[in-house]
Amino acid sequence: MSTLTTSPDKLRIAIAQLNPVMGDLQGNLAKAREARKTAADAQADLILFTELFICGYPPEDLVSKPAFVKACEKTVQALALETADGGPGIIIGSPLQRESGLHNAVMVLDGGKVIAERYKVDLPNYGEFDEQRNFQAGAMPGPVNFRGVRLGIPVCEDIWGELGVCETLAESGAEILLVPNGSPYHRSKMEVRHQVAVRQVVETGLPLVYANQTGGQDELLFDGGSFVINANHHLAVQLPQFEELVSMTDWTRGEDGWSCADGDRTWLPEGEEADYLACMHGLRDYVNKNGFKSVVLGLSGGLDSAICAALAVDALGKDRVHTVMLPYRYTSDISLKDAKDCAEALGCRYDIVSIAEPVEGFLNVLEPMFAGTESGVTEENLQSRARGVILMAISNKFGSMVVTTGNKSEMAVGYATLYGDMNGGFNPIKDLYKMQVYALADWRNHYLPEGAMGPEGEVVPQNIIDKAPSAELRDNQTDQDSLPPYPVLDAVLEALVEHEKSVEEIVGMGFERAVVERVEHLLYIAEYKRRQSAPGVKITTKNFGRDRRYPITNRFRDRH
């Protein structure tokens, strides 16, 4: 490897937008080595990795284990020794235990050693973040002198909050802001990131490099989208979302300071395309990182299972997806046809397993106890639970993870059966309201996403989109027998969940009071079900679980 010498007026910085695996220190080290070699081959002076890259982000309570934290630092120290070759220096994130506490830190490696450490100051404690539980805030940082260039290294939230970290760095002589991030996806997040970065550029007068992690970690999907904004507010570089890469940026020092030359300017997906890609990559990484060879799901002939099947095939390929139709006496011929058509369009395995015998068996053994009662929800739920047992048996026998398929509207109001259709390891549409699922299906039928492994064309049969949604647990059943129309339900739920609006405010938006009060009641009493639901990709600004944590025991109702 050749020795690189930084010119006082020239600098090449590589941005490592990569997908670490939580806790896989040696695997992440190998990724870092490979990325550094790419940077060295491109004659880069420095490579910037993302927040806590060596262990993955967010590590949550893993960092409460001293052996884990020590192993992280030891791994980075090994990487530091390799910089004695004169190649690119490294900025990389790791948890660090110091006398001042346990820190979310970055380490600057050059010349065969660690030349500086900086600790995250502003620890986020909202939404999906609870870093104040795990880390100690660092002191206000100064710049790091790297080969004659003074680098400010604020970490993720340090550029979002109001503590003035970037201003402090500018006042103490920083020339460029290099920001390692672990910023997860939600709809329209890229626009928000740009606004936050521009605000810091305006306030400091410094150019800013925003390096963001990509890939899925449990419910969170990190979408990359790293970028560079110059001091004149010009977007010089925009890297793609949902993609691993190492990209070079070229810098020149002029009379007005450092400036980045125009580089990659990737078009960014929006709306349904971005949401679909997030769901697809989130499912792919959850399955692959947890070592599942395949997935299985119930294909009912309904919309939710159809879009989940499409997502699974796009994420994993048709040979790793097994769909199963589980009919009973209330399953219509139309649903049987729609399910088969969907599986054939996707090219994945499709089996039919009748649940008649197990359901009748349950009813027979319970008949003495149920004698004299009316048939109702209990008997309907036996159908769902029989399906859940069969899918879990297939999972146990063949090692396939069960994909569960309930949307956010259903999860919000409890229109789902514990130990039945809620069975599963992961739910790619858990954070999508029903009307958003319709939009996603329509979009997918017209476009093949970048990186998808499924076929082009219509993969969700149009009849599935057009017909009235039904659980088919009794004759002539539709979802609207039990719930408000989905456009109304979704709008009320979004107001209650995403915006925490009061009943009065929502009634003032034009909705019937009785509907709003009923939906609010259903939302509260379904909390115990949501606590037992599978994880799923975060898409909205407030998902169930990480973002919205309400008590199960809760008698509050917003009434006047």
Side-chain angles (χ1 to χ4, degrees), residues 277-474:
L277 285 165
C279 292
M280 182 183 84
H281 284 280
L283 176 61
R284 177 182 291 166
D285 273 356
Y286 190 86
V287 171
N288 289 339
K289 288 182 177 182
N290 285 289
F292 292 103
K293 62 182 180 181
S294 59
V295 298
V296 60
L297 69 152
L299 195 61
S300 68
L303 177 68
D304 295 334
S305 64
I307 194 67
C308 285
L311 283 163
V313 171
D314 284 341
L316 305 170
K318 62 183 177 62
D319 294 335
R320 296 177 68 190
V321 179
H322 181 188
T323 60
V324 185
M325 163 53 96
L326 299 148
Y328 188 52
R329 67 176 68 168
Y330 304 117
T331 303
S332 67
D333 291 341
I334 291 173
S335 291
L336 285 162
K337 180 180 185 304
D338 288 343
K340 182 180 179 183
D341 289 348
C342 180
E344 288 181 349
L346 291 167
C348 58
R349 179 178 174 182
Y350 173 72
D351 287 307
I352 299 176
V353 179
S354 171
I355 65 167
E357 287 189 35
V359 171
E360 297 303 324
F362 283 129
L363 292 173
N364 288 337
V365 298
L366 290 167
E367 185 176 7
M369 189 180 298
F370 287 5
T373 65
E374 292 188 9
S375 179
V377 172
T378 300
E379 287 73 16
E380 292 177 13
N381 286 346
L382 282 174
Q383 299 168 47
S384 180
R385 290 186 173 122
R387 292 182 173 114
V389 168
I390 291 171
L391 289 173
M392 289 307 301
I394 295 170
S395 172
N396 292 160
K397 179 62 71 174
F398 300 110
S400 302
M401 186 197 78
V402 177
V403 172
T404 186
T405 62
N407 61 68
K408 190 172 186 176
S409 306
E410 294 173 346
M411 298 305 300
V413 297
Y415 197 64
T417 305
L418 275 175
Y419 325 119
D421 58 323
M422 289 178 64
N423 277 5
F426 196 77
N427 182 352
I429 64 168
K430 181 180 180 179
D431 199 32
L432 288 168
Y433 290 110
K434 185 73 170 188
M435 298 310 297
Q436 293 168 339
V437 178
Y438 276 109
L440 227 60
D442 182 70
W443 180 86
R444 177 59 181 88
N445 279 347
H446 291 87
Y447 302 97
L448 181 67
E450 183 74 24
M453 302 175 73
E456 292 183 309
E458 184 180 282
V459 293
V460 179
Q462 189 62 40
N463 191 61
I464 291 178
I465 297 174
D466 292 341
K467 69 184 180 183
S470 171
E472 293 193 324
L473 299 175
R474 62 178 182 269

Side-chain angles (χ1 to χ4, degrees), residues 35-67:
R36 183 174 182 263
K37 182 180 185 306
T38 299
D41 290 345
Q43 298 295 296
D45 302 294
L46 177 67
I47 182 166
L48 173 64
F49 290 91
T50 53
E51 183 175 11
L52 293 180
F53 177 83
I54 204 65
C55 64
Y57 183 83
E60 302 183 89
D61 285 1
L62 256 179
V63 293
S64 66
K65 193 173 188 65

Side-chain angles (χ1 to χ4, degrees), residues 255-274:
E255 293 181 1
D256 297 325
W258 287 94
S259 177
C260 181
D262 283 352
D264 296 333
R265 292 283 298 276
T266 304
W267 179 86
L268 299 176
E270 298 177 334
E272 282 74 38
E273 180 180 8

Side-chain angles (χ1 to χ4, degrees), residues 67 79 109 120 123 158 195-196 357-358 364 447 508-509 550 558:
L79 184 62
L109 320 180
K120 190 173 184 177
L123 302 177
D158 287 344
Q195 292 170 353
V196 167
E357 287 189 35
N364 288 337
Y447 302 97
M509 294 165 59
Y550 269 57
D558 185 7

